[in-house]
Amino acid sequence: MAYFFSSESVSEGHPDKVADQISDAILDNILAQDPESKVACETLVTTGQVILAGELKTTAQINEQDIARRVICKIGYTKSDYKFDSESCGILNALHGQSPDINRGVERSNPLDQGAGDQGMMFGYACNETKSLMPLPLDMAHNLLWELSQIRREGKEMTYLRPDSKSQVTIEYGDDNKPKRVDTIVISTQHDEFITDEKNQLKADEEMVKKIEEDVRNILIPRLVSKHAEYKSLLQGDYKLLVNPTGKFVIGGPYGDTGLTGRKIIVDTYGGKGAHGGGAFSGKDPSKVDRSAAYAARHLAKNLVAAGVADEVLVQVAYAIGVADPMNLFVNTYGTAKVKLSDGEIARKIAESKIFDMRPKAIEDRLKLRNPIYEETASYGHMGRTPQVVTKTFTDRSGKTFTKEVELFTWEKTDKTDDLKKLFKL
């Protein structure tokens, strides 16, 4: 029987994502100076205000205010009209030292015996619906907002756009669990009040919404399809397009809604497909398995699908605080396995093979997680991104500038497929 599934995304200007990006930028600047730092940075943003809190164990010397203002400026909050801008917002820094009780459970004389920074379960997921091996509804929701952001930054079309926006995509699936068509696209985007009428502002508001809907249909979606040809067949025929369905959206960003680090964990992962252990990512160094083990689980799931072991895979791994070895490794192929093994047998073969060492320090080393690679993850999803090498520039508290070459999104590499094919005789 056919069914429908929806996923949402939010732009880099969404209040929660502003908070995530500030937290991860602070983490990056600390790791750039002291890779062995322990960091748990939380950010709150609201009208004209940024509050930083959390725990640190580091020798790094950073200027937290400068970092936060740079991130806010880069996102696009640069005008006083937004009631939240990079130059005038207040910044309160309440970061402090890490509890020695927590640190005692993590550090070991043998680095590979490093314990998990906390208990919990983490999930990774992959499926063959898209080139990125991500669920189609989330993949399209992210790419819609990415393209909308590019239009805003180019400043040639849809010049009324402001940084805050959201999307939601509903896909109709067939009896074979394959995507058939796009059923509904929802776009809500913040904008200038670019049409005014002192005598009848309600009519002016309706004209603004109509113009934005026309531009989404005639500018945004064609640009999306031109860059993602795989969407074209899914957008054939009728589909519902809802643009700013509540009306005008002038008041937005941290002025319209308070933002907090870690409130968009489903946007950050798989859009509701698979499962989620509940732990947020941003602002946490990789000793926190909420982050590092979730990346490792995605790496494992993606490589299983890429190797042809199954069409769809969910991986769970769980930890106890201070203990290096995971409590379990669980694999669910949803009946799509291409090998004559049960899911339990697949999980056992993977665990015994040691292709994917799931101890926290081994994950850090394999995925190069002790590098300043996290600000880029804090908008448009941590999963399904393109691995790439970039050079990043940092400035310490004294004003000294330095660069580092780092590899982003290492957990998205399909570098273990040959090992898995050999293991499963594919």
Side-chain angles (χ1 to χ4, degrees), residues 190-203:
Q190 187 189 15
H191 58 88
D192 294 336
E193 195 150 20
F194 59 94
I195 300 176
T196 58
D197 186 338
E198 293 182 1
K199 295 181 180 180
N200 192 345
Q201 187 56 44
L202 182 60
K203 180 181 178 182

Side-chain angles (χ1 to χ4, degrees), residues 19-263:
D20 283 344
Q21 288 166 92
I22 292 171
S23 292
D24 272 337
I26 287 172
L27 171 62
D28 277 357
N29 277 265
I30 290 172
L31 292 177
Q33 295 181 46
D34 178 8
E36 299 307 314
S37 298
K38 302 296 187 296
V39 181
C41 177
E42 310 285 348
T43 303
L44 179 149
V45 295
T46 188
T47 305
Q49 184 70 54
V50 177
I51 299 173
L52 308 174
E55 302 79 46
L56 306 175
K57 180 177 182 289
T58 185
T59 61
Q61 298 292 317
I62 65 170
N63 188 321
E64 293 88 350
Q65 287 210 13
D66 284 355
I67 294 167
R69 293 189 193 282
R70 176 190 63 77
V71 171
I72 295 165
C73 180
K74 185 187 74 170
I75 292 169
Y77 287 111
T78 56
K79 299 178 182 179
S80 60
D81 288 350
Y82 299 162
K83 303 296 190 293
F84 180 86
D85 71 273
S86 58
E87 291 190 6
S88 67
C89 66
I91 299 176
L92 174 63
N93 181 8
L95 291 163
H96 58 83
Q98 184 189 52
S99 163
D101 292 344
I102 294 175
N103 190 59
R104 185 182 303 115
V106 176
E107 295 186 351
R108 295 286 189 274
S109 56
N110 178 1
L112 283 172
D113 291 335
Q114 170 184 308
D118 201 352
Q119 70 174 46
M121 64 283 192
M122 298 83 212
F123 290 91
Y125 176 82
C127 62
N128 60 6
E129 292 180 6
T130 60
K131 292 178 181 178
S132 60
L133 304 187
M134 288 287 286
L136 176 63
L138 183 64
D139 189 70
M140 186 177 289
H142 281 325
N143 285 320
L144 277 163
L145 292 188
W146 176 264
E147 199 59 42
L148 192 67
S149 174
Q150 299 312 301
I151 292 171
R152 173 173 62 87
R153 294 176 184 282
E154 290 165 9
K156 297 176 181 178
E157 299 177 292
M158 303 177 73
T159 55
Y160 49 76
L161 291 172
R162 290 184 175 184
D164 191 2
S165 59
K166 300 178 73 172
S167 67
Q168 185 171 287
V169 175
T170 301
I171 300 293
E172 180 182 354
Y173 286 78
D175 295 336
D176 57 358
N177 290 320
K178 301 297 183 183
K180 297 301 181 186
R181 56 181 284 273
V182 173
D183 181 77
T184 307
I185 293 174
V186 183
I187 298 287
S188 294
T189 182
Q190 187 189 15
H191 58 88
D192 294 336
E193 195 150 20
F194 59 94
I195 300 176
T196 58
D197 186 338
E198 293 182 1
K199 295 181 180 180
N200 192 345
Q201 187 56 44
L202 182 60
K203 180 181 178 182
D205 292 349
E206 292 172 351
E207 291 177 1
M208 280 192 290
V209 174
K210 182 180 179 182
K211 171 61 175 171
I212 297 169
E213 181 177 349
E214 290 173 353
D215 288 349
V216 167
R217 190 180 295 277
N218 299 321
I219 298 172
L220 173 60
I221 292 178
R223 281 184 53 145
L224 176 77
V225 172
S226 72
K227 296 182 180 180
H228 301 274
E230 64 273 22
Y231 296 158
K232 186 174 182 180
S233 62
L234 298 164
L235 288 163
Q236 297 298 321
D238 293 334
Y239 63 90
K240 296 184 285 292
L241 176 63
L242 304 177
V243 177
N244 286 17
T246 62
K248 74 175 183 180
F249 182 10
V250 173
I251 298 172
Y255 176 46
D257 190 12
T258 297
L260 292 169
T261 300
R263 282 207 302 201

